[in-house]
Amino acid sequence: MYPRYSKKLLEVMYEDYLMEASKYLERTGRLDYHLLSSFEHEPLSPEDLDRIRGRKIVAMSLFFKPSNFARRKVQPQTDHEGQILESELNRVQHPIWENSHRHERTFFQNYLNPVLESDFRDWVPVLYLSSNLRHLEPKLREAGFVVIRMKHESIAECPGALWRYLSFNLPCEYTYLQDTDRPFQAQRAERLIKLFELRPNAAISRPLQFTSKNGEMALILGNDFAVRPAAVDFDCSRSILGYITLNILHEDRLTNFCHEPVAGRDDAKVEPLSKRSQRGHFGPLPHERVGHKCYPYYPFDEQWLKEVVYYHFSNGRMITLMQGVRPDDVTQGFDIAHQRKHGNLLVPVVNGKPHQTSPEAITRTLGQRSRRQSLSRLGTN
């Protein structure tokens, strides 16, 4: 269903082409992308490392972003040090969120208060903080957060949304990924952590997803999955930058990456490079790319999860919580079939709770159920 980009390919892109992509961005007026250093952050203090070592953490990113591509040039006011003014963070009806459900709320109400007011219990909240919001660090630390200071701000939704995935390589026992615009729910995170007991070598656990109205499917929802860092065998920063580089260096093609389908995009609306140089934004517009794959816009971060992380751990190291099974969802059916074929663990939900039995029994039960659903879709007795 989806392209697969291997660890080896992305290593090559990182090692051999990252500098080329950076120079290309500079030539096309996008030096502000800071590609080479977009995932750099200040080192964690010994005290912060002690707080997360061997613990369960909740990883999040915090940055100020436009609501959509059309508002990308509307930026909040900053002081002489580049810090976003407090008045901007407390502003209702900010033009950045015009025509969105967030328009009547402030930045604090939208993106910070939900987690500041959360009860993290025995979890440690870890937040990757944009460089232009550093004045919020005292407030966050007072609330018990471990703050990781990024060296740059986010361009749009990315790279900010991708920063939290750097937690794959932290020395913690487990990391649960979520957004800052919803309260942390320990029960929601624990249900995924407990699944690791069923398969000691697993690296990732996730709830089953479904196809949305626009035909897209996340596979791994960026704000609701768990990782066991000890089982992660690649450098996330290098992998993400390799994936971004691959995206950027193919932006002159009619499809996002060379062998991908058009995915419903109208090629007549794709402007050639000769015309792009005459418009305000040289890079591709979202409608000119395969759906949801236009860096640095929403939801590019979930594309990395879908086309890199999903496949990398679909070799017996992924656990799927089988909530919301939909027999008529073809893409979901392919997902389930792929997981079964490659020996990954499928955990059914019985009476609203994961059915924790032996891995063999779970796989056998789901295999029989998946076969019945497939035959039903095919109209076969």
Side-chain angles (χ1 to χ4, degrees):
M1 285 294 292
Y2 301 109
R4 175 176 184 165
Y5 302 103
S6 69
K7 172 184 175 182
K8 182 179 292 186
L9 171 63
L10 298 188
E11 279 287 334
V12 170
M13 297 306 300
Y14 177 87
E15 292 285 351
D16 296 347
Y17 294 98
L18 181 61
M19 185 61 72
E20 292 296 326
S22 182
K23 291 177 180 178
Y24 170 68
L25 290 174
E26 182 177 358
R27 292 196 304 271
T28 55
R30 289 171 284 176
L31 189 60
D32 61 318
Y33 278 30
H34 300 292
L35 186 60
L36 299 179
S37 56
S38 55
F39 288 88
E40 290 183 357
H41 57 78
E42 295 182 13
L44 275 74
S45 68
E47 294 77 17
D48 284 341
L49 284 171
D50 285 342
R51 283 195 62 199
I52 67 174
R53 186 171 284 110
R55 298 286 301 281
K56 299 180 298 185
I57 73 166
V58 184
M60 297 163 279
S61 301
L62 185 65
F63 53 95
F64 200 107
K65 63 181 171 105
S67 60
N68 54 45
F69 176 82
R71 311 297 297 172
R72 69 192 185 281
K73 293 184 178 181
V74 182
Q75 296 296 330
Q77 296 184 48
T78 59
D79 63 16
H80 65 285
E81 295 181 343
Q83 296 296 297
I84 297 176
L85 299 178
E86 287 276 345
S87 58
E88 294 284 87
L89 303 181
N90 286 298
R91 184 176 175 182
V92 178
Q93 295 186 337
H94 200 292
I96 282 181
W97 295 307
E98 188 177 357
N99 299 323
S100 80
H101 67 284
R102 303 187 186 279
H103 198 219
E104 300 300 323
R105 296 166 63 84
T106 69
F107 174 84
F108 281 109
Q109 292 171 329
N110 279 319
Y111 293 109
L112 197 52
N113 289 348
V115 291
L116 280 178
E117 298 167 359
S118 293
D119 178 7
F120 288 97
R121 301 186 186 180
D122 58 339
W123 292 74
V124 179
V126 175
L127 189 138
Y128 292 82
L129 185 64
S130 177
S131 62
N132 57 5
L133 290 173
R134 288 190 177 181
H135 55 294
L136 296 179
E137 183 175 351
K139 181 190 296 288
L140 290 160
R141 288 195 175 276
E142 185 179 351
F145 282 70
V146 169
V147 177
I148 299 179
R149 297 186 290 271
M150 304 306 296
K151 293 190 175 181
H152 294 291
E153 64 229 44
S154 189
I155 310 163
E157 285 80 6
C158 290
L162 288 152
W163 291 338
R164 54 187 166 173
Y165 304 147
L166 298 179
S167 64
F168 287 18
N169 297 133
L170 289 179
C172 53
E173 183 178 16
Y174 299 110
T175 178
Y176 175 72
L177 289 297
Q178 80 155 59
D179 294 334
T180 60
D181 62 356
R182 68 172 173 84
F184 172 69
Q185 297 174 319
Q187 185 177 6
R188 185 171 184 162
E190 290 287 350
R191 84 200 195 287
L192 294 177
I193 296 300
K194 290 182 181 298
L195 299 181
F196 287 113
E197 298 173 4
L198 298 172
R199 180 157 292 183
N201 71 327
I204 186 169
S205 65
R206 50 134 203 180
L208 182 70
Q209 298 303 311
F210 57 89
T211 306
S212 63
K213 293 180 180 179
N214 62 9
E216 292 288 334
M217 182 169 169
L219 289 183
I220 301 174
L221 195 62
N223 68 353
D224 185 25
F225 70 101
V227 171
R228 191 207 313 260
V232 175
D233 55 351
F234 62 88
D235 184 308
C236 283
S237 177
R238 293 167 69 95
S239 175
I240 294 170
L241 280 169
Y243 186 71
I244 293 172
T245 298
L246 193 59
N247 180 280
I248 290 171
L249 293 184
H250 284 89
E251 70 178 26
D252 62 328
R253 312 301 168 92
L254 288 181
T255 54
N256 194 29
F257 297 130
C258 292
H259 65 279
E260 292 188 24
V262 173
R265 188 203 55 207
D266 182 1
D267 285 346
K269 296 181 180 179
V270 180
E271 290 189 347
L273 297 182
S274 58
K275 287 189 176 181
R276 287 190 199 174
S277 62
Q278 301 171 21
R279 69 188 188 191
H281 179 71
F282 183 88
L285 309 181
H287 74 266
E288 294 177 318
R289 306 301 294 268
V290 172
H292 293 188
K293 292 183 67 173
C294 187
Y295 184 80
Y297 302 103
Y298 177 85
F300 184 85
D301 66 306
E302 287 184 347
Q303 295 300 125
W304 177 72
L305 295 175
K306 176 189 289 186
E307 300 179 354
V308 180
V309 175
Y310 174 83
Y311 287 114
H312 185 77
F313 293 121
S314 287
N315 58 355
R317 294 184 293 164
M318 184 180 294
I319 305 173
T320 301
L321 186 63
M322 299 294 289
Q323 62 179 36
V325 178
R326 302 183 177 186
D328 59 340
D329 190 328
V330 175
T331 307
Q332 186 188 77
F334 280 129
D335 177 19
I336 295 171
H338 181 85
Q339 293 298 307
R340 289 186 59 243
K341 178 180 178 181
H342 294 278
N344 297 285
L345 187 59
L346 304 173
V347 181
V349 176
V350 179
N351 296 326
K353 296 182 180 180
H355 186 57
Q356 297 191 21
T357 183
S358 71
E360 294 77 14
I362 290 172
T363 302
R364 184 168 58 252
T365 300
L366 267 295
Q368 294 168 351
R369 183 183 302 175
S370 179
R371 176 172 172 75
R372 287 196 301 269
Q373 293 169 352
S374 297
L375 291 175
S376 174
R377 284 196 295 269
L378 292 170
T380 305
N381 291 327

